[in-house]
């Protein structure tokens, strides 16, 4: 992580997003998997309609557009499933769950330090410091 005068994003925010991804990965993976299966079923329905029914040219063109849209949507869901599969597989292990707990602890510790840094102030130990406006009399 680079150090800059004004850090764009706090480390706790980055790690919190990672922890949220890991906590949500199973639900998101399953939801996209189910949506992908729905598109598979729709595709089969459309193909059977094309195979069995006596369609006009316009009906076939409309069906082809529906099939194209179905395949595109299925691809979108399948891409998410494929991208999340390794993460979901890891999160389902004991080591993965332990890593998420540890990551969440890190986020808490980082937020405490960031909060301290944001709210800190210095209280002089000896009273007035030489160079204060009051010493200039």
């Amino acid at each position: 992580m680079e150090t800059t005068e004004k850090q764009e994003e706090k480390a706790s925010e980055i790690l919190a997003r990672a922890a949220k991804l890991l906590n949500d990965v199973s639900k998101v993976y399953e939801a996209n998997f189910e949506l992908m299966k729905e598109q598979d079923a729709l595709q089969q329905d459309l193909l059977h309609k094309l195979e069995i029914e006596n369609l006009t040219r316009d009906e076939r063109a409309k069906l082809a557009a529906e099939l194209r849209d179905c395949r595109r949507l299925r691809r979108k869901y399948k891409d998410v499933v494929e991208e999340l599969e390794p993460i979901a597989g890891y999160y389902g292990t004991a080591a993965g769950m332990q890593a998420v707990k540890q990551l969440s602890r890190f986020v808490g510790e980082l937020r405490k330090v960031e909060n301290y840094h944001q709210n800190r102030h210095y209280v002089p130990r000896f009273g007035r410091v030489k160079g204060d406006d009051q010493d200039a009399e």
Side-chain angles (χ1 to χ4, degrees):
M1 177 181 264
E2 290 184 27
T3 303
T4 60
E5 284 185 30
K6 184 176 180 182
Q7 190 175 348
E8 297 272 334
E9 190 172 21
K10 293 180 181 181
S12 65
E13 293 168 354
I14 296 167
L15 291 176
R17 281 199 327 272
K20 181 170 176 26
L21 168 71
L22 291 171
N23 281 319
D24 295 347
V25 73
S26 294
K27 288 181 247 170
V28 175
Y29 174 87
E30 288 300 324
N32 278 275
F33 190 81
E34 288 304 315
L35 291 167
M36 182 183 75
K37 284 181 14 183
E38 286 176 16
Q39 293 305 307
D40 282 338
L42 176 59
Q43 173 184 293
Q44 288 304 311
D45 290 345
L46 294 170
L47 289 172
H48 281 105
K49 185 174 184 173
L50 182 63
E51 174 188 5
I52 296 170
E53 293 184 17
N54 241 348
L55 302 173
T56 66
R57 183 188 329 197
D58 289 343
E59 290 170 331
R60 284 192 309 268
K62 184 179 175 188
L63 191 63
E66 285 181 57
L67 187 57
R68 178 204 59 215
D69 294 344
C70 171
R71 295 291 298 168
R72 286 180 178 170
L73 199 51
R74 181 190 177 280
R75 172 56 52 201
K76 177 182 155 191
Y77 298 138
K78 186 176 180 185
D79 287 352
V80 172
V81 165
E82 288 175 345
E83 290 168 11
L84 294 181
E85 193 166 23
I87 301 168
Y90 174 70
Y91 181 72
T93 66
M97 289 185 219
Q98 183 63 31
V100 172
K101 287 179 186 176
Q102 219 172 0
L103 188 57
S104 296
R105 272 196 302 273
F106 290 153
V107 170
E109 290 173 22
L110 277 169
R111 285 185 174 154
K112 285 178 189 175
V113 172
E114 291 167 352
N115 189 39
Y116 168 75
H117 287 168
Q118 186 176 3
N119 297 315
R120 75 176 153 197
H121 61 281
Y122 179 73
V123 177
R125 294 184 178 102
F126 184 70
R128 291 188 306 185
V129 177
K130 200 171 193 176
D132 282 349
D133 290 339
Q134 296 173 351
D135 290 333
E137 297 173 358

